[in-house]
Amino acid sequence: MYFAALLARTEDGWEASDTELDDVETLSDLTDLAREASVDEDTVLVFIEQEDAWFGVVRVDGEDDPRIFISDATAAARSSYGEILLTDELLGREPGAEDTIAALEELVGLDDTEDGDPDTTPDNNTTATDDDDDDDDDGLDAVPAGPLGDTRILADLGLPEAELLMLRTDALVEIADALGAAEVLETVR
């Protein structure tokens, strides 16, 4: 079960709205959604939470690039919404590197065999099929365990880095409380 909300800062304080992420497929889509909620290009925060497994905060300030914090990258990697936040840049990879490697492996058949025959040499008792089983977890292996992203994302708004890193359950409530937006977030929760 997911919860997603937008908090937009205005002259009068924070305004909250719940949001559907069904049409959001990329970080760019999410950023556009946040910018639409912005008043005079003020700060907009997007909160995404999956039942105490992980939470993410995306901060959009006007036309600046979005800033992202994820409480548990490994848990987020198992989630379709988490995958939106786990960009190549955040993970320290070259953009599209994973797709390029997969395409090259498919083109050249990097299983050390010819014509798809299994490798049965005495030095290697595994088959190409055995090697393929190891590839199932490659996406998760590339994702570090624990928090990932900009840990100072909310520091100037009242939630220091150390406190953000300590949050586990009911994190979005605690974040909203630190920002002075608990009541408005509760109206959409």
Side-chain angles (χ1 to χ4, degrees), residues 138-175:
D138 283 355
L140 294 178
D141 291 342
V143 177
L148 183 66
D150 185 350
T151 58
R152 299 197 38 79
I153 192 170
L154 302 171
D156 65 322
L157 299 174
L159 188 68
E161 176 180 13
E163 289 181 32
L164 179 64
L165 291 170
M166 291 178 10
L167 296 177
R168 296 291 174 249
T169 59
D170 294 326
L172 299 187
V173 172
E174 291 185 45
I175 291 170

Side-chain angles (χ1 to χ4, degrees), residues 38 47 57 81 93 98-99 115 118 123 135 141 172 177:
S38 176
F47 293 138
V57 179
Y81 295 129
R93 296 188 297 222
E98 198 170 287
D99 296 335
D115 301 320
D123 293 342
D135 293 343
D141 291 342
L172 299 187
D177 189 43

Side-chain angles (χ1 to χ4, degrees), residues 103-117:
L104 287 173
E105 285 176 346
E106 187 175 315
L107 274 175
V108 275
L110 295 178
D111 60 358
D112 295 331
T113 63
E114 290 185 35
D115 301 320
D117 294 333

Side-chain angles (χ1 to χ4, degrees), residues 70-112:
I70 301 170
S71 66
D72 186 336
T74 304
R78 295 183 188 101
S79 155
S80 58
Y81 295 129
E83 288 178 348
I84 292 170
L85 304 181
L86 291 169
T87 63
D88 287 335
E89 182 180 345
L90 190 65
L91 294 169
R93 296 188 297 222
E94 288 292 320
E98 198 170 287
D99 296 335
T100 303
I101 291 169
L104 287 173
E105 285 176 346
E106 187 175 315
L107 274 175
V108 275
L110 295 178
D111 60 358
D112 295 331

